[in-house]
Amino acid sequence: MDNSEEAPDDGELRVILYSHDSQGLGHTRRNLAIAHALANRLPTLLNRKITGLLVSGVGAAAGFTAPVGWDWVVLPGVRKSGPGYTPRDLAVNMRRLTTLRSHLLEAALTSFVPHLIIVDRHAYGVDGELVQALAEVRRTNPDCRVVLG
């Protein structure tokens, strides 16, 4: 299914800021600062409205005030454990959690039909959770720019 047919360009610039956020609020706060900067500056520079999604794995992230026209997507959390990650709260194995997060990411990235995706730090997310979502974006929305922050 080609999402560009479903979501005609009605003038707004759609942006997604993703961070895996395994612990703390550093990445979330950085993405929030970027979102506020984009929301404050781009409408004047581009003469377009901007709207976006802030994707985080920290439940407390949604308590921060997003810019007007932005909202949060909060993924089930992970935490560092030895050399990798484990589920923060869900009583499932890491493979199941990664699959769940991957499906949620794919739905958000393809349904929102963004013009720009900024990925914070981990190019493919936790345990490759972004690989399929980014491949689907490339297939259905080839003009979308993906940037590694």
Side-chain angles (χ1 to χ4, degrees), residues 1-12 14 110-115 140-141:
M1 162 168 62
D2 184 354
N3 288 328
S4 62
E5 293 175 16
E6 290 179 20
D9 188 357
D10 43 0
E12 81 278 357
R14 293 178 301 280
T110 57
S111 298
F112 192 61
V113 193
H115 297 95
T140 61
N141 184 9

Side-chain angles (χ1 to χ4, degrees), residues 65-78:
T65 303
V68 172
W70 289 68
D71 210 337
W72 292 96
V73 174
V74 178
L75 302 171
V78 296

Side-chain angles (χ1 to χ4, degrees), residues 9-15 38-52 68-70 115:
D9 188 357
D10 43 0
E12 81 278 357
L13 179 67
R14 293 178 301 280
V15 178
L38 293 174
N40 288 333
R41 294 186 180 107
L42 284 184
T44 302
L45 290 172
L46 301 176
N47 198 28
R48 291 173 81 178
K49 292 188 297 183
I50 184 168
T51 190
V68 172
W70 289 68
H115 297 95

